[in-house]
Amino acid sequence: MSTAQAQMQTKWWSGGKSPFNVEYGKLMMWYFLMSDTFTFGAFLISYGTIRFSQNYWPDPNEVFNAFPFAGHANLPLAFVSLMTFILIVSSVTMVLAVHAGHKNDKQGVIKWMIWTIIGGIAFLSCQAWEWAHLITGEHAVLINGQIQHIGTTVTMNPWGAAANVPMIDGHHITTTGPVAFGGYFFGITGFHGFHVLSGVVINIVMLIMAINGTFERKGHYWMIEKAGLYWHFVDLVWVFVFLCFYLI
Amino acid sequence: MEHSANSEITFHHEAGGDDFVKKIIKTTVLLSVITMIELGLGLTMYAFPMAEGFKLFLKGVIVILSLAKAFYIVGIFMHLGDEIKNLIMTICVPLMLFIWFIAAFLMDGNSWKNLRNSRGKSIVPTEQHSTAPEGHH
């Protein structure tokens, strides 16, 4: 009520104050994230353009159906759902760290930052497993009239349409799929993974600064807030990577 | 330095306390539920044979649900909803570019496919054609 009134009566553009009511660093973090949105947007739209230009595209339910220690069980999207859940939870622990920072609660900030870092590392580990599985998981593919066993890389795609040959050992033989599939998948999830990695590094720096009492001496935990914005952005991008590569 | 940084801010938001934590838990549950609905729809498309048109409709629903997730992450987790209108506008208005960006490029990709399918062979020389000399030149 009182803040709403203050908001109405303030002359935001008269100088001497931020017209956005935030400090410089936080505003610039928002603008950086906006530019990063366009970078990721351009990548995903480029992927969409190529996908729309193809008559055939692999079904994500068939490509991403493995789970660690589950052997050859057909579990479509199960592992990537776990990854999504890990990232959402680490986003929540980050919100709680920022919230503790608002209350100048040093122990709270340390506790929730540690959980956020663990979540980030868990996500990266899952991604490493998924990449390794996709690259080394070989499938029988009919290439130039011969059956070859290939994995998914930036130059090879075994996830093509079914080939017109009999099954071998109970496995369907496919043709090669659009080669852009691997390039876009590894390129975009890799770029996102790099963001997660840098987010984890930033969070570790923030944790060390919090433990050393840097923010306590400063009298505020605004740095945690800015790191938090970056971390939530990483989660936000994953929502769209998840949408474009796994769901549709 | 900090003193001048402090004076940039005209007023601080009230630090909600326990209400805020409740709001976070509510949002987390909401995000998880939306994700599960999305997965359910994705698996439905996989498990049951259905018409291409209906599949496309389900994909549209999943896209809208993802946008809802983005709205909650930005609005609640990133606190954009608590900022003043000036800041919300300076972030959201430039994002309108995406409307053109997505529509134009997806249509371009689709047109590319149609061209290749309908008369592609006469425009793009195939491997067999490119080795042979072209008569009418």
Side-chain angles (χ1 to χ4, degrees):
Chain A
M1 184 67 191
S2 57
T3 49
Q5 227 163 26
Q7 201 170 323
M8 291 298 288
Q9 286 162 1
T10 310
K11 285 193 171 67
W12 291 109
W13 302 98
S14 62
K17 57 173 123 24
S18 164
F20 298 116
N21 199 39
V22 289
E23 38 140 356
Y24 177 79
K26 194 173 162 185
L27 182 65
M28 290 304 125
M29 179 53 92
W30 271 111
Y31 285 154
F32 165 70
L33 295 182
M34 201 164 62
S35 77
D36 227 17
T37 305
F38 279 106
T39 309
F40 271 110
F43 283 160
L44 286 172
I45 290 166
S46 147
Y47 158 76
T49 309
I50 296 301
R51 192 169 158 174
F52 266 65
S53 78
Q54 301 291 318
N55 286 314
Y56 178 85
W57 198 261
D59 181 351
N61 288 295
E62 282 163 23
V63 181
F64 307 103
N65 69 348
F67 201 90
F69 312 115
H72 287 286
N74 183 24
L75 301 164
L77 303 184
F79 190 53
V80 77
S81 311
L82 176 71
M83 287 168 74
T84 306
F85 191 67
I86 289 172
L87 213 53
I88 288 178
V89 169
S90 86
S91 213
V92 173
T93 56
M94 189 78 221
V95 178
L96 294 171
V98 172
H99 185 58
H102 280 157
K103 295 190 293 190
N104 289 321
D105 169 11
K106 183 179 168 181
Q107 289 313 314
V109 171
I110 292 172
K111 180 177 86 179
W112 292 118
M113 285 307 281
I114 289 173
W115 281 115
T116 309
I117 291 164
I118 291 173
I121 292 171
F123 179 85
L124 285 172
S125 313
C126 290
Q127 198 168 40
W129 185 88
E130 194 187 32
W131 274 38
H133 180 81
L134 213 52
I135 293 167
T136 58
E138 295 189 333
H139 298 267
V141 179
L142 188 69
I143 303 170
N144 295 329
Q146 281 186 319
I147 289 174
Q148 294 184 22
H149 293 267
I150 59 170
T152 314
T153 67
V154 291
T155 52
M156 295 187 296
N157 178 4
W159 306 101
N164 198 14
V165 291
M167 292 203 292
I168 292 177
D169 301 335
H171 289 286
H172 289 285
I173 311 298
T174 60
T175 53
T176 52
V179 84
F181 177 79
Y184 276 113
F185 177 79
F186 290 118
I188 295 175
T189 59
F191 194 58
H192 175 264
F194 179 68
H195 275 72
V196 177
L197 179 68
S198 49
V200 168
V201 170
I202 291 168
N203 284 347
I204 289 173
V205 172
M206 292 298 125
L207 176 65
I208 293 168
M209 286 171 89
I211 290 170
N212 288 344
T214 312
F215 303 129
E216 223 167 11
R217 282 193 294 280
K218 273 190 172 180
H220 57 75
Y221 283 80
W222 295 351
M223 289 282 275
I224 300 283
E225 214 174 317
K226 280 171 257 183
L229 281 179
Y230 183 74
W231 191 252
H232 294 313
F233 175 76
V234 166
D235 185 26
L236 181 67
V237 169
W238 181 254
V239 168
F240 289 98
V241 172
F242 181 60
L243 172 73
C244 295
F245 281 102
Y246 301 100
L247 287 175
I248 61 177
Chain B
M1 175 62 206
E2 281 145 44
H3 213 77
S4 67
N6 243 326
S7 67
E8 283 176 41
I9 297 172
T10 311
F11 62 87
H12 286 277
H13 306 289
E14 290 136 78
D18 289 343
D19 281 358
F20 181 74
V21 176
K22 263 186 210 151
K23 198 167 145 191
I24 291 303
I25 293 169
K26 230 172 107 181
T27 312
T28 312
V29 171
L30 198 67
L31 287 175
S32 308
V33 168
I34 294 178
T35 306
M36 279 185 245
I37 295 173
E38 284 181 336
L39 279 168
L41 291 174
L43 292 175
T44 309
M45 286 192 288
Y46 172 64
F48 306 105
M50 56 181 74
E52 273 308 304
F54 190 67
K55 225 175 186 173
L56 219 57
F57 167 74
L58 286 184
K59 286 180 180 183
V61 172
I62 294 175
V63 170
I64 291 166
L65 287 174
S66 285
L67 288 175
K69 266 160 73 176
F71 177 81
Y72 282 109
I73 290 172
V74 177
I76 312 268
F77 284 1
M78 296 170 89
H79 293 283
L80 190 61
D82 300 329
E83 303 290 356
I84 69 168
K85 206 178 160 204
N86 286 343
L87 181 54
I88 297 175
M89 286 300 160
T90 193
I91 304 297
C92 291
V93 172
L95 296 183
M96 297 290 145
L97 185 62
F98 272 118
I99 297 171
W100 162 82
F101 203 177
I102 294 169
F105 277 78
L106 294 191
M107 280 193 254
D108 196 38
N110 196 44
S111 142
W112 188 7
K113 176 177 78 182
N114 292 341
L115 283 174
R116 256 196 282 110
N117 285 347
S118 58
R119 12 171 222 153
K121 289 185 184 76
S122 64
I123 294 172
V124 185
T126 59
E127 273 174 71
Q128 295 99 315
H129 287 141
S130 59
T131 49
E134 288 177 45
H136 56 276
H137 273 217

